[in-house]
Amino acid sequence: MRLLLPEQRQLDDLFDLYDSGTPCLRGGLVLSTDGAVAVDGGSRPLQGPADKAVFAALRAVCDAVVVGAGTARSEDYGPVRPAAPARAWREAHGRSPAPLVLVSRSLRLDPTARAFSGDVRPLVLTCAAATPPDGLREVAEIVVAGDDDVDLPAAVAALHERGLTRLLCEGGPGLLTDLVRAGLVDELCLTLAPLLVGAAPTLLTGPLAAPVRLELVHLVDGGDGSLLARYRLT
Ligand SMILES: NC(=O)c1ccc[n+]([C@@H]2O[C@H](COP(=O)([O-])OP(=O)(O)OC[C@H]3O[C@@H](n4cnc5c(N)ncnc54)[C@H](OP(=O)(O)O)[C@@H]3O)[C@@H](O)[C@H]2O)c1
C-alpha cells in the first residue's frame, strides 16, 4: 500500500493512519467504481486484500461498530473479534473491546443470531414502539431512543453517554443515508473496488436535502487495484 495524498506523508501504520479524534462518527464501506455496495446481496465480492486491511484498521481504532439490522441479517453479522495486531494496538492505546451496536426500528432480530454470540454484550438501538422478541434482553442491552422511529441524534448521544464516542458505521446504505441526512456523519472511509456492477444498492438510498461537500483527508493506493479514500464531511 502507498499513500498517494497527502504527498509529504509516509504510510507507516494503517491503525495510526485511521485513528480519529473523538467524538467522531465515520462510515466505513466498500463500493464498486460505479457505486454499488453489494453484488448478489452481499459485499464480499467487492472486498480485496486492501479493503480487508482497512476494515480491520477501522475496527481497531473505534469504540463501537454500528450496523443497520438489515445488514446484520443479510450478512449474518458476527461479534467484533479483532485479530492479534488490532488487539495489541487497542491495548497499547487503552481501548476496551468494542461492542457491536445494531440499529433496528422493528426489533425483528433473532436472539440466537451470531451477532449476539460474542463476549462483549451488544447494544440494540431502537424506538419505544418496537417490542423485543423473547430472549433479546438476555443477550443484548436494548436502548430506546425515540417513540415511533429511532431518534438517531438521541441514539448517538446514548452511545456517547456510555463512553462510546469513536463510532464506526459499517452500513448499510439505509442506515448510512439516515445518518447523513441527520448531519451525524463526520467522515467517510471508502474503498473504491476495481469493479463495475451496474446494479443497486448504492452507497446512499435516496436524495439528500442538499449535496454534502467532502474534503479529502487521505488517499491510499491499495496495491490491488483499489483506492482507499478518507473524506471529512464539511
Ligand atoms: N459494501 C459495503 O461496505 C456494505 C456495508 C453494509 C451493507 N452492505 C449491503 O447493503 C445491503 C443492505 O442494505 P440496507 O440498506 O437494507 O441495510 P441497513 O441500513 O443495514 O438495513 C436496513 C434496516 O436497518 C434498520 N435501520 C436502518 N436505518 C434505520 C434507522 N434510521 N432507524 C431505525 N432502523 C434503521 C432497519 O431495521 P429493521 O428492519 O430491523 O427495523 C432497516 O430495515 C446488503 O446487500 C449488504 O450486503 C454493503
Side-chain angles (χ1 to χ4, degrees):
M1 283 192 211
R2 192 163 57 94
L3 194 59
L4 301 174
L5 292 170
E7 284 173 303
Q8 63 277 19
R9 273 186 65 183
Q10 282 285 338
L11 176 50
D12 298 322
D13 182 291
L14 216 50
F15 298 165
D16 291 338
L17 184 72
Y18 279 97
D19 193 17
S20 70
T22 177
C24 177
L25 194 163
R26 57 166 47 142
L29 289 96
V30 58
L31 57 155
S32 70
T33 299
D34 58 335
V37 294
V39 180
D40 296 333
S43 57
R44 198 158 298 218
L46 297 165
Q47 301 162 357
D51 180 61
K52 287 180 183 156
V54 80
F55 180 85
L58 289 169
R59 284 189 161 198
V61 302
C62 77
D63 296 332
V65 174
V66 182
V67 70
T71 297
R73 286 187 292 260
S74 71
E75 302 220 348
D76 189 21
Y77 248 61
V80 184
R81 287 209 174 103
R87 283 203 309 275
W89 189 96
R90 292 186 74 84
E91 253 177 65
H93 290 77
R95 312 259 169 103
S96 29
L100 185 65
V101 178
L102 303 183
V103 184
S104 171
R105 254 179 226 110
S106 68
L107 284 185
R108 198 165 55 80
L109 296 168
D110 175 1
T112 67
R114 267 182 3 100
F116 302 110
S117 66
D119 300 330
V120 186
R121 193 170 168 80
L123 289 94
V124 176
L125 301 177
T126 190
C127 51
T131 307
D134 286 350
L136 190 63
R137 284 188 199 288
E138 283 72 58
V139 295
E141 179 184 355
I142 300 177
V143 179
V144 174
D147 296 329
D148 296 325
D149 207 346
V150 178
D151 177 337
L152 290 175
V156 168
L159 296 179
H160 286 190
E161 279 163 22
R162 287 161 175 77
L164 307 172
T165 58
R166 298 177 192 88
L167 302 175
L168 170 64
C169 175
E170 294 185 339
L175 177 59
L176 184 68
T177 304
D178 290 343
L179 289 168
V180 172
R181 284 178 176 150
L184 291 168
V185 179
D186 301 299
E187 286 192 5
L188 279 176
C189 295
L190 302 177
T191 299
L192 203 61
L195 210 68
L196 295 175
V197 174
T202 51
L203 187 66
L204 298 181
T205 54
L208 304 177
V212 173
R213 191 160 291 283
L214 304 177
E215 188 184 306
L216 187 64
V217 179
H218 72 228
L219 184 67
V220 173
D221 170 0
D224 57 2
S226 66
L227 289 170
L228 313 176
R230 176 177 173 185
Y231 294 104
R232 191 174 296 123
L233 278 69
T234 60

